[in-house]
Amino acid sequence: MRLNVNKLLHTPGAGQDFHFQLDLRELEFGGMHPISRPVAVDGRVENRAGVLTCSLQASTVLASVCDRCLDAFDEEKTVSYSCVLAEERQSEDNEDIVLLEHDEVDLSELARSAFILGMDTKTLCSPDCKGLCGGCGVNLNREACRCKKQIDPRLAALAKLLDKDGAAD
Ligand SMILES: [Zn+2]
Ligand SMILES: [Zn+2]
């Protein structure tokens, strides 16, 4: 979505709300496409004492997969972003400045970059996810490890032998 801010540029105090949906399904993160649902973008462009500011929030529910237990789960995700819109860059400004093109700002592009930057590099179903057992492969969030209980009798005999060897040392 592109917004023409020509009128706002020259009217201190003026503002305009915007709302649109963004399709980011094509974005790939770690070989997955977690942004499977539309991203809702809400925001406002405002002329504050001659400075044009843009602030937005983009949110969706991600189709995530836990890095640790490999469970699929829905994850609410909201990112916030704000910047100053200007016709030309002023070198001494530290603020995040987005340049206008023919008095237009590409809000979709802003929301898209904000969302990409806001994606977590690590995805966990919960901060204390116990993951999968490296031995029996159970999801330790739901089941107890079966490694000890389900040892094959032949392996148990072998384990005993190995234990004896160990004791001889
Ligand atoms: Zn997990
Ligand atoms: Zn186990």
Side-chain angles (χ1 to χ4, degrees):
M1 180 185 157
R2 298 179 73 86
L3 181 70
N4 190 307
V5 296
N6 181 277
K7 278 182 193 143
L8 300 174
L9 259 177
H10 307 292
T11 320
Q16 187 175 335
D17 292 329
F18 55 83
H19 172 81
F20 60 96
Q21 285 203 335
L22 203 56
D23 181 353
L24 297 179
R25 278 179 299 183
E26 90 281 7
L27 292 180
E28 194 179 306
F29 296 89
M32 317 282 286
H33 295 267
I35 314 174
S36 56
R37 300 178 180 91
V39 176
V41 184
D42 285 289
R44 183 171 173 81
V45 175
E46 212 168 20
N47 185 327
R48 293 185 192 164
V51 178
L52 210 58
T53 61
C54 172
S55 55
L56 63 84
Q57 271 205 335
S59 57
T60 191
V61 177
L62 301 175
S64 297
V65 172
C66 178
D67 288 338
R68 222 179 262 167
C69 69
L70 307 181
D71 253 10
F73 68 104
D74 285 347
E75 182 185 7
E76 282 184 30
K77 182 80 191 170
T78 299
V79 300
S80 300
Y81 174 76
S82 62
C83 63
V84 167
L85 304 176
E87 288 170 291
E88 53 191 31
R89 194 170 292 279
Q90 265 129 43
S91 54
E92 69 270 28
D93 262 319
N94 300 323
E95 272 175 297
D96 209 351
I97 291 182
V98 171
L99 293 182
L100 296 167
E101 294 165 33
H102 309 293
D103 291 347
E104 280 189 350
V105 52
D106 187 343
L107 295 171
S108 301
E109 190 48 46
L110 292 187
R112 188 176 190 271
S113 346
F115 214 86
I116 294 171
L117 286 174
M119 288 290 284
D120 299 311
T121 49
K122 197 156 180 67
T123 306
L124 292 179
C125 62
S126 91
D128 52 0
C129 170
K130 298 190 190 82
L132 302 176
C133 172
C136 61
V138 299
N139 183 334
L140 297 171
N141 299 310
R142 288 196 293 260
E143 292 173 63
C145 165
R146 296 181 200 137
C147 290
K148 291 250 165 63
K149 292 172 204 156
Q150 288 198 338
I151 284 178
D152 185 299
R154 287 162 297 179
L155 290 178
L158 187 63
K160 254 185 194 164
L161 282 174
L162 291 172
D163 259 9
K164 270 181 195 156
D165 278 359
D169 272 14

